[in-house]
Amino acid sequence: MERWGRTTPIAQRRPRGAALLRDAQGRKQCSVCLTWQELGAYAASPVQADGLQPRCKGCVRFATYHVTPERYAALVEAQGGVCGLCGQRDSSGRDLTVDHDHRCCPVPRSCGRCVRGLLCNRCNVGLGRFQDSPEMLRAAAAYLTFWSAQPPRRVPAEPPKPRGRRWPKFRLTDEEYARTVAAQGGSCAVCRREPGRRSLSVDHDHRCCATTPACGTCVRGLLCTSCNTGLSHFNEDAELIIRTAEYVEAHMIVCT
C-alpha cells in the first residue's frame, strides 16, 4: 500500500487484544502502518482498552490533513516548536494542531493544500469560534480595546428585587440585562448576530475579576456563545486577536 510517499504493508486484521500487546521495548503497533512506536506517538482515547488510539498520530494526521510525518516535523521546526499565533507551546502538553483554511475544506478533513500552519489548542479553538473571519476577529479586538480604556462602572449596592438568575454571578439584574439587550439591538456586541435560541452571555473583564462571581463593575456587554468563548481562548488579548486576523488574511488558500 502506498502511504506517505512510500510503500507500507497493507493493514491486516489483528487478533483480539492486539491493542494491549507491546514489544520488548514497550512499544505499541499502529493498526494502520503496522510500525512499532513509542506510546507517546499515540493520542489518548478513554474508550480503548489501553487508553490509547489504535492509530499513531502520523497516520491520523495523514488521514485528516494529508500531512506526512516529515512535513509535520518540518512545520514544527519552521515555527520553532511553538504556536504560529501566540508563540507559546501548548499549555496542556499536546502536540501542535494542524490548521487549515476552512473556506477551502469546510469539513474537518483537509486536502492538504490548504494547510496554513500549526497552532496550540487554545488558539486553534479560538480561531474556530470566530469562524476564520478577519472581520469578526478585528471586531473582537476593537471591543476589548474599547473596554480596556473605560473607567469601572458602579453598580447600586442594593438593587430592587427580584434580582434574577444573573445576579449571583455578575451582579446584573434582569432589568439591567433586558436594557443591555435592547441597547445592543438583541445581537452580540462583537459579531452583531442574533444568538438564536440561546440567550446572550454576560461578558466581564477578567483582569478585574478572574473568576465568577464578578463584582459587577467590570461587566462589559453581552456576547453570543462563540464570541464569548473565543475571547477566553485568546486570553482577551487584543493584540493576539489582531495577529490572528492578519494570519488568516496572509493564508487565504482556495483549492482549485
Side-chain angles (χ1 to χ4, degrees):
M1 179 179 64
E2 191 71 20
R3 191 169 188 79
W4 303 341
R6 59 179 180 269
T7 302
T8 57
I10 297 177
Q12 301 173 354
R13 185 178 181 85
R14 299 190 300 167
R16 183 182 297 273
L20 300 175
L21 296 178
R22 301 291 185 268
D23 67 2
Q25 287 77 42
R27 299 176 301 179
K28 174 178 176 172
Q29 186 184 36
C30 173
S31 63
V32 176
C33 64
L34 302 182
T35 59
W36 293 87
Q37 303 183 44
E38 299 294 337
L39 300 186
Y42 299 86
S45 174
V47 300
Q48 299 297 325
D50 62 347
L52 298 173
Q53 288 279 0
R55 299 183 295 171
C56 67
K57 294 177 182 178
C59 286
V60 172
R61 288 192 193 100
F62 186 81
T64 308
Y65 303 107
H66 283 80
V67 172
T68 65
E70 293 79 13
R71 185 183 178 190
Y72 182 82
L75 288 170
V76 171
E77 183 178 0
Q79 294 183 193
V82 297
C83 171
L85 291 178
C86 67
Q88 303 292 324
R89 297 184 184 276
D90 199 305
S91 58
S92 65
R94 300 179 181 177
D95 291 341
L96 293 172
T97 303
V98 177
D99 170 54
H100 74 281
D101 192 335
H102 289 77
R103 296 171 308 145
C104 173
C105 299
V107 295
R109 296 181 183 274
S110 165
C111 63
R113 291 175 292 178
C114 54
V115 168
R116 299 185 289 205
L118 305 178
L119 306 180
C120 67
N121 185 62
R122 289 185 68 90
C123 287
N124 188 52
V125 175
L127 178 56
R129 287 295 186 179
F130 289 115
Q131 302 174 21
D132 283 19
S133 169
E135 292 77 16
M136 288 180 64
L137 289 163
R138 285 198 167 86
Y143 172 84
L144 291 173
T145 302
F146 171 80
W147 282 109
S148 65
Q150 302 304 308
R153 295 177 295 173
R154 293 190 175 277
V155 176
E158 286 295 330
K161 295 182 179 181
R163 295 172 176 175
R165 64 185 179 90
R166 297 176 183 86
W167 176 259
K169 290 185 67 176
F170 302 106
R171 295 295 187 267
L172 192 70
T173 66
D174 284 348
E175 291 76 12
E176 290 170 327
Y177 180 86
R179 285 199 299 269
T180 307
V181 171
Q184 293 183 190
S187 60
C188 170
V190 171
C191 67
R192 305 299 180 185
R193 297 176 181 175
E194 295 185 0
R197 294 183 178 180
R198 308 184 78 171
S199 58
L200 292 168
S201 301
V202 178
D203 170 55
H204 75 282
D205 192 337
H206 289 77
R207 296 172 305 165
C208 175
C209 299
T211 60
T212 53
C215 64
T217 62
C218 54
V219 170
R220 298 183 291 204
L222 306 179
L223 307 181
C224 66
T225 300
S226 289
C227 289
N228 191 42
T229 55
L231 289 184
S232 67
H233 276 89
F234 285 121
N235 294 320
E236 300 191 358
D237 186 336
E239 292 184 0
L240 174 57
I241 295 176
I242 288 293
R243 290 205 304 272
T244 303
E246 293 171 348
Y247 166 88
V248 173
E249 290 174 335
H251 295 82
M252 288 187 171
I253 304 168
V254 180
C255 300
T256 57

